[in-house]
C-alpha cells in the first residue's frame, strides 16, 4: 500500500517529532510511506478566513504532489476535513476527487483502513484526551455529546491498547479549545479564555499530558500552559501510539 | 466599522473573568439539562429529522401555505396584516392602537419586535410599552436589549437585578432574593395586565390548515395579556408557518427540551378565534425573510424555532455574552441571520466562531449553522466586506502556498524568527503572545529530518 | 394590500422546488393509554402536585383541607363542585382578578410531559386558568395519552376558539436561573386524577 504523508506546515516546522511518529507508525503496519517534498498546505487558513476563492493555486499544488498514491494520511483532523470537503482542481478534477476521497486523518486510517488491533507501546502517565472539533464533529472520530446516539471513540480504542496509560474523564468531554484558525488572534480574548478553561479541566483531573489528533489545538493549549508555567505537557497522539516517549 | 465589532465587545466582556466564568457555567448548565432530557427520548434524532423536513417542506411551499393560513384565520374572525419591513410592521401596530385610542401596550416576548425596534418606535409616538416577560422587563428597566432569545437577562446577576428593582419597584435595598424580586414583579405587572386594553405577543407556530397561532410561555404572561385585552396583536415572521396541527406534536416535543431542558413549556396556548367583543390581529412580517429564502445556502436558517440551544452550547457565545453580537438575535443563529439584514454592519459575526459545530448538533431543526457561518465568510469577502490589510495578506499567503519554493523560504524564515505562522495573517501576530507562548523551535523541520533519514521523493 | 402582493410574489420567486412532507406514523407509541406513574412523576418534577381520587367528593374534601374555602373566592364551571365553588357568569374577565382558586376539568393529559389539554369548551372564560392564584385541574384516568402525537390525534380537527396545554404552575427562572413558581399565572397547580 503506497501512502503519502501530508504534514501540515506548522507540524513540519514546530512539531517534527509528531510527523516522525506518524511515519514510523504507518511503516510498522506495513505501509510504503512517501513524503512528497513539494507539498505546502491544505488551504484551510485561507478558506476559513473567507478566501476559499484564492486557494486554487494551493489546491493545484496539493493535487500535483499527492496524485498517484493509494492513500494520503495526515496527523491532523482539521486539515484532512478541509481536504475531504473542499479540495477541487479545475485542471485535474478526477485526481482531485480521488485525493478528496482517499485522504485520511491518521487515527481513522489506523482503525478503519489498517484495522490495527494491537500496539507495541507503553505510556505510564495520566493523560487527558482533547477531542478536536474538526476531528470529532467533522470526521466523526468519536461520538458527539450533543447527539442521542451510541458512544464510540476511535482515538480511545487505540489509546486503550497502550500499556500503563491512565486516561482521565473530563468534565466537558468535547468542548472546543478556542484555537479556530485565525480566530485565535482575531478573537484573542475569547480564544484564550476558551483555551484556559479547557486546560483547567485537564489540570483538574490531574493529568501529566494532554493529547489529541490536532496539533493546532495542542499548540494553542501548550501556549497557555507554558505561560502559566504549568508542568502539564501536550503530546500528539501519534507519539504515544508509536511508543516514541519512554 | 461604525459600531464596535464582536471581538472588541468580547474583549471588554472578558475583562471581568469571574463574570465570564459565571455566564459560561450558567449556560453550560442549561446545555446539560437539554442533553439529559433529550437523551431520555429514544426517538430524539428522528424527531429532529422530522422537524427539519417539515420546515423544509413548508419553506418550499410557503406561498400556498401563507395564503391558506390567511384564508383560515380570516374565516375564524382574525384580521391579517402584511408588513414588508420593520417600518411597516411598526406603523401597523401604531395605527391599530391609534384607531382604538390606546396609548398603553403590554407586550410578551417577541424577538421580531426586537428586530423591528418596535419599543423605540412606539415610545417616539408617545405610546407606553411594558414588557411582561420577567427577563424582558428587567432589561427594559435597565434600558438594555435582551442578550439571549430565551433568557433575555442571562447576563445580569441577581444583585444587579435587586438594585434595579430597588430603584424602580421599591424593593428593599440590597435584597436580591429571586423569590422576593419575582413577587415584586408579579404585583407590578399584574396591575399592568389588568389595565391594558391592548396586548402584543409573538408567535411560535402558525398553522396553515386551521388558521390558529400557538404561543408558548412559562410565565403565563402572553395569556394574561391577551385574555384581558380588547385587542390582541400577534407579530410573526412569515417563516413561522407549519402546515398542520398534527405537526405541532413534533415541534412542541422539541422546543422546550432544546431550550431549557423542560419537557414542555408551562403554557402552549392555541389562539384560533377572538373572544366575543374583542379582536385578534396578526401581522405577517417579511423584513428580509424572502431575500434569505432566495439564498440557497442560507435558506434553511429560516427553519429556526428560536429555542436558543445553539447559543447555550456555543463556547464563544458563553464567553462573549449576547451583547457582543450587536443584533437582536445573538449567538450562532444570529450570526447567520444578521448578514442577511445588513452585510456591512454584521460582517464580523460569521467570524465570531471557531466552527466547532456544536450548534449544528443541538439544533432541533438541524440547521447546518456552522457550515453557513463558513459560507457567509466566503460571501462577505467576495462582496468586499473585509479589512483590506487582511485581503492583501491573504493574497500573499495564497501565492506562497501555491509555490513550494516560496513556501520553503518562508518556512525556514518562520522557524528561525518565529515571526510567521500560517494561521496568523492579519498583522495581529502579537495577539498570540498576549497570553500564550509559541512552541519551542526544534533543531530541524520534519522535511529536513526526512531528507537525512529517508531517501525517496 | 401592496405589501401582501409584494411578499407573496417574492416568496413564490424565491422558494425552492417542493420537498416532501415526512410521515409521522413511526412516532406513535404502540399503546394509546399513557402511563399514570410517568405522568405523575413528570408533572411533580415540574412543580405540580398530582393526587389520585375516586370521585369529586374526595377531591372536595382534599381541597377543603388545603384552602380556606369559604373565605376566598373559588370559581369553577363544574356543577358537582357547587358546595365549594361558584360559577363565573360575568362578561368581563377583569372581574376574576380576585379569584384565589379555580377548578377546571381537562379533556385529557399527556404522560411524557405532564401537560393537560383544555379548550374553551370546558373553560368559558379564557383567562380563568391564568388569573387565579391557584389552579386545580381534573383528568379522568382513562384520558392520559402517552405522547404529544397521540395528543394531537385526539384533538383532531376540533373546532375551538382557544385551547391550551398546561404543564405545572406558572414559573420563571429569569433571575439568575433560580426557579421561582408563580410568575404571572397560578402559584400552584394540583391535578386530580379521577
Ligand atoms: S438555530 Fe436551531 S438551535 Fe439555534 S435557536 Fe434556532 S432552532 Fe434553536
Amino acid at each position: 500500500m503506497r501512502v503519502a504523508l501530508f504534514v501540515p506546515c506548522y507540524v513540519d516546522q514546530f512539531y517534527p517529532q509528531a510527523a516522525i511518529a506518524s511515519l514510523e507508525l504507518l511503516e510498522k503496519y506495513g505501509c510504503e510511506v512517501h513524503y512528497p517534498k513539494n507539498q505546502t498546505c491544505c488551504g484551510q487558513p485561507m478558506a476559513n478566513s473567507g478566501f476559499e476563492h484564492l486557494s486554487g493555486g494551493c489546491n493545484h499544488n496539493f493535487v500535483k504532489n499527492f496524485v498517484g498514491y493509494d492513500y494520503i494520511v495526515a496527523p491532523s483532523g482539521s486539515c484532512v476535513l478541509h481536504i475531504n470537503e473542499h479540495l477541487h482542481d479545475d485542471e485535474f478534477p478526477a485526481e482531485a476527487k480521488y485525493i478528496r476521497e482517499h485522504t485520511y486523518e491518521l487515527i481513522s486510517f489506523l482503525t478503519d483502513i489498517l484495522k490495527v488491533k494491537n500496539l507495541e507501546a507503553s505510556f505510564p502517565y495520566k493523560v487527558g484526551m482533547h477531542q478536536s472539533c474538526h476531528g470529532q464533529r467533522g470526521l466523526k472520530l468519536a461520538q458527539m455529546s450533543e447527539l442521542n446516539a451510541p458512544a464510540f471513540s476511535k482515538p480511545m480504542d487505540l489509546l486503550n491498547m497502550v500499556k500503563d496509560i491512565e486516561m482521565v474523564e473530563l468534565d466537558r468531554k468535547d468542548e472546543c479549545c478556542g484555537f479556530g484558525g485565525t480566530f485565535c488572534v482575531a478573537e484573542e480574548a475569547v480564544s484564550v479564555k476558551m483555551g484556559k478553561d479547557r486546560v483547567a479541566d485537564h489540570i483538574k483531573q490531574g493529568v501529566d499530558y494532554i493529547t489529541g489528533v490536532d496539533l493546532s489545538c495542542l499548540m494553542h493549549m501548550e501556549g497557555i500552559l507554558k505561560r502559566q508555567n504549568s508542568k502539564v505537557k501536550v503530546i500528539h497522539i501519534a507519539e504515544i501510539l508509536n511508543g516514541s516517549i519512554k | 466599522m461604525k459600531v464596535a465589532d464582536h471581538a472588541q465587545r468580547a474583549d471588554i466582556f472578558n475583562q471581568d473573568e469571574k463574570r465570564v466564568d459565571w455566564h459560561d457555567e450558567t449556560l453550560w448548565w442549561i446545555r446539560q439539562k437539554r442533553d439529559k432530557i433529550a437523551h431520555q427520548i429514544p426517538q430524539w434524532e428522528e424527531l429532529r429529522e422530522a422537524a427539519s423536513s417539515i420546515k423544509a417542506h413548508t419553506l418550499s411551499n410557503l406561498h400556498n401555505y401563507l395564503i391558506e393560513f390567511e384564508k383560515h384565520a380570516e374565516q375564524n374572525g382574525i384580521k391579517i396584516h402584511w408588513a414588508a419591513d420593520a417600518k411597516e410592521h411598526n406603523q401597523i401596530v401604531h395605527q391599530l392602537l391609534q384607531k382604538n385610542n390606546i396609548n398603553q401596550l403590554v407586550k410578551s416576548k417577541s424577538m421580531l419586535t426586537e428586530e423591528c425596534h418596535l419599543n423605540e418606535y412606539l415610545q417616539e409616538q408617545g405610546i407606553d410599552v411594558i414588557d411582561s416577560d420577567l427577563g424582558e422587563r428587567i432589561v427594559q428597566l435597565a434600558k438594555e436589549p435582551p442578550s439571549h432569545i430565551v433568557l433575555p437577562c442571562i447576563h445580569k446577576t441577581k444583585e444587579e437585578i435587586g438594585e434595579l428593582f430597588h430603584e424602580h419597584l421599591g424593593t428593599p435595598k440590597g435584597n436580591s432574593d429571586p423569590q422576593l424580586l419575582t413577587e415584586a414583579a408579579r404585583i407590578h405587572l399584574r396591575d399592568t395586565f389588568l389595565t391594558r386594553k391592548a396586548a402584543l405577543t409573538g408567535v411560535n407556530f402558525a398553522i396553515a390548515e386551521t388558521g390558529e397561532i400557538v404561543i408558548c410561555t412559562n410565565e403565563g404572561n402572553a395569556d394574561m395579556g391577551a385574555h384581558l385585552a380588547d385587542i390582541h396583536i400577534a407579530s410573526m415572521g412569515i417563516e413561522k408557518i407549519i402546515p398542520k396541527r398534527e405537526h405541532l406534536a413534533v415541534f412542541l416535543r422539541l422546543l422546550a427540551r432544546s431550550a431549557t431542558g423542560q419537557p414542555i413549556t408551562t403554557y402552549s396556548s392555541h389562539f384560533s378565534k377572538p373572544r366575543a367583543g374583542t379582536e385578534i390581529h396578526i401581522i405577517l412580517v417579511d423584513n428580509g425573510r424572502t431575500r434569505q429564502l432566495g439564498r440557497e445556502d442560507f435558506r434553511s436558517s429560516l427553519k429556526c424555532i428560536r429555542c436558543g440551544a445553539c447559543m447555550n452550547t456555543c463556547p464563544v457565545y458563553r464567553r462573549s455574552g449576547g451583547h457582543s453580537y450587536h443584533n437582536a438575535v445573538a449567538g450562532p443563529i444570529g450570526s447567520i441571520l444578521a448578514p442577511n439584514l445588513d452585510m456591512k454592519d454584521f460582517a464580523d459575526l460569521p467570524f465570531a466562531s471557531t466552527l466547532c459545530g456544536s450548534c449544528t448538533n443541538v439544533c432541533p431543526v438541524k440547521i447546518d449553522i456552522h457550515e453557513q457561518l463558513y459560507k457567509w465568510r466566503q460571501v462577505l469577502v467576495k462582496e468586499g466586506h473585509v479589512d483590506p490589510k487582511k485581503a492583501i495578506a491573504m493574497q500573499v499567503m495564497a501565492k506562497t502556498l501555491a509555490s513550494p519554493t516560496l513556501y520553503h523560504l518562508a518556512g525556514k524564515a518562520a522557524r528561525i524568527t518565529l515571526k510567521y505562522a500560517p494561521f496568523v495573517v492579519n498583522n495581529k501576530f502579537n495577539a498570540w503572545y498576549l497570553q500564550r507562548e509559541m512552541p519551542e523551535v526544534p533543531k530541524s523541520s520534519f522535511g529536513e529530518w526526512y531528507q537525512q533519514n529517508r531517501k525517496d521523493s | 394590500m401592496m405589501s401582501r402582493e409584494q411578499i407573496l410574489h417574492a416568496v413564490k420567486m424565491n422558494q425552492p422546488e417542493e420537498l416532501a412532507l415526512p410521515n409521522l406514523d413511526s412516532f406513535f407509541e404502540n399503546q394509546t393509554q399513557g402511563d399514570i406513574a410517568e405522568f405523575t412523576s413528570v408533572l411533580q418534577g415540574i412543580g405540580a402536585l398530582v393526587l389520585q381520587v375516586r370521585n369529586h367528593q374526595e377531591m372536595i374534601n382534599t381541597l377543603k383541607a388545603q384552602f380556606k374555602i369559604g373565605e376566598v373566592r373559588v370559581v369553577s364551571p363544574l356543577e358537582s363542585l357547587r358546595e365549594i365553588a361558584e360559577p363565573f357568569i360575568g362578561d368581563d374577565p377583569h372581574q376574576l382578578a380576585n379569584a384565589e382558586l379555580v377548578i377546571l376539568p381537562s379533556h385529557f393529559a399527556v404522560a411524557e410531559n405532564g401537560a393537560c389539554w383544555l379548550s374553551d369548551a370546558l373553560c368559558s372564560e379564557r383567562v380563568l386558568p391564568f388569573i387565579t392564584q391557584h389552579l386545580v385541574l381534573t383528568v379522568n384516568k382513562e384520558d392520559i395519552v402517552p405522547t404529544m402525537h397521540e395528543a394531537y390525534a385526539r384533538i383532531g380537527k376540533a373546532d375551538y376558539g382557544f385551547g391550551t396545554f398546561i404543564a405545572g404552575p406558572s414559573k420563571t427562572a429569569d433571575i439568575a436561573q433560580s426557579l421561582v413558581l408563580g410568575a404571572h399565572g397560578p402559584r400552584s397547580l394540583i391535578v386530580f386524577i379521577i
Side-chain angles (χ1 to χ4, degrees), chain C residues 151-163:
Chain C
Y152 279 102
R154 183 136 171 190
I155 294 172
K157 305 251 178 278
D159 181 24
Y160 47 75
F162 174 74

Side-chain angles (χ1 to χ4, degrees), chain B residues 64-78 80 207-212 243 272-273 282:
Chain B
N64 292 348
Y65 282 133
L66 281 165
I67 292 175
E68 191 187 339
F69 173 74
E70 177 187 47
K71 186 177 107 197
H72 290 136
E74 283 175 348
Q75 281 169 0
N76 291 337
I78 291 174
I80 300 289
I207 320 300
E209 174 191 49
T210 58
E212 73 198 300
S272 174
K273 297 170 193 165
I282 296 176

Side-chain angles (χ1 to χ4, degrees), chain B residues 149-150 255 258-259 300-301 303-311 329 332-334 336-337 359-360 362-367 369:
Chain B
I149 58 179
V150 174
L255 178 62
S258 299
S300 73
S301 63
K303 293 178 179 177
C304 175
I305 58 172
R306 302 289 191 271
C307 72
C310 58
M311 306 161 84
V329 181
I333 179 64
I336 58 175
L337 292 174
C359 47
T360 301
V362 295
C363 177
V365 288
K366 295 186 85 163
I367 302 171
I369 307 171

Side-chain angles (χ1 to χ4, degrees), chain A residues 5 7-17 19-20 23-24 27 32-41 43 45-58 61 64-65 69 82 85-86 133-134 137-138 144-149 171-176 178-194 196-198 216 219-224 226-227, chain B residues 6-7 10-11 14 17 20-21 24-25 28 31 34-35 38-42 44-45 48 313 315-316 318-320 351-358 361-362 371 374 377-378 381-382 386 390-391 394-395 397-398 400-404 407-408 411-412 414-415 418 420-426 428-429 431-442 444-447 449-451 454 456-457:
Chain A
L5 190 64
V7 179
C9 31
Y10 62 95
V11 178
D12 178 44
Q13 296 297 325
F14 295 126
Y15 297 98
Q17 67 282 13
I20 296 168
L23 175 93
E24 289 177 353
E27 286 176 344
E32 180 194 325
V33 188
H34 299 265
Y35 174 68
K37 72 169 189 295
N38 283 332
Q39 58 179 279
T40 60
C41 172
M46 287 175 287
N48 278 4
S49 303
F51 292 82
E52 192 182 336
H53 62 285
L54 293 183
S55 61
C58 178
N61 185 64
K64 273 199 315 209
N65 272 276
Y69 296 97
H82 184 75
E85 289 182 342
H86 298 289
C133 304
H134 288 173
R137 297 197 181 83
M144 299 157 269
S145 61
E146 299 90 2
L147 300 185
N148 184 356
D171 288 352
R172 300 188 189 181
K173 59 183 180 150
D174 54 7
E175 173 118 314
C176 177
F179 172 70
T182 43
F183 183 88
C184 74
V185 282
E187 287 266 3
E188 190 264 347
V190 179
S191 171
V192 168
K193 180 61 183 146
M194 287 168 70
K196 279 162 90 176
D197 289 354
R198 214 71 304 280
S216 48
M219 175 167 69
H220 165 64
M221 288 192 280
E222 182 182 42
I224 288 166
K226 279 196 179 157
R227 183 60 62 92
Chain B
H6 181 276
D11 202 26
N14 271 273
E17 188 167 0
V20 178
D21 288 337
D24 166 62
E25 271 153 28
W28 180 254
R31 152 80 204 270
R34 172 257 170 220
D35 286 356
H39 293 189
Q40 281 165 13
I41 307 282
W44 183 257
E45 301 303 332
R48 289 175 67 221
T313 201
V316 176
R318 279 188 260 115
R319 293 179 186 79
S320 57
F351 293 90
S353 164
T354 60
L355 307 180
C356 79
S358 186
N361 278 348
V362 295
E371 284 165 28
Y374 175 89
R377 293 179 183 187
Q378 315 304 325
V381 165
K382 281 210 187 105
V386 64
K390 186 171 168 185
M394 280 294 164
Q395 260 145 15
M397 182 182 222
T400 311
L401 295 179
S403 151
Y407 172 76
H408 284 126
K412 268 216 182 59
R415 202 149 43 84
L418 281 187
Y420 173 91
F423 47 86
V424 180
V425 288
N426 45 6
K428 274 205 208 164
F429 186 44
W432 179 276
Y433 282 105
L434 289 175
Q435 306 182 66
R436 284 167 291 212
E437 303 294 333
M438 273 304 281
E440 247 166 60
V441 191
S444 64
S445 71
F446 174 73
W449 177 92
Y450 188 84
Q451 265 186 341
R454 299 284 190 282
D456 77 349
S457 304

Side-chain angles (χ1 to χ4, degrees), chain A residues 15-22 24-25 28 120-127 159 162-165 208-211 215 218 222 231-246:
Chain A
Y15 297 98
Q17 67 282 13
I20 296 168
S22 305
E24 289 177 353
L25 260 174
K28 269 191 216 170
E120 290 282 317
S122 152
F123 195 70
Y125 298 101
K126 233 176 159 177
V127 179
L159 288 169
V162 175
K163 280 189 226 55
D164 310 317
I165 195 167
D208 303 306
Y209 283 91
I210 301 175
T211 192
L215 274 162
L218 294 177
E222 182 182 42
K231 284 204 279 296
V232 175
K233 295 196 265 298
V234 302
I235 184 169
H236 189 266
I237 188 169
E239 294 176 74
I240 298 180
L241 301 180
N242 188 44
S244 310
I245 297 191
K246 297 286 180 277

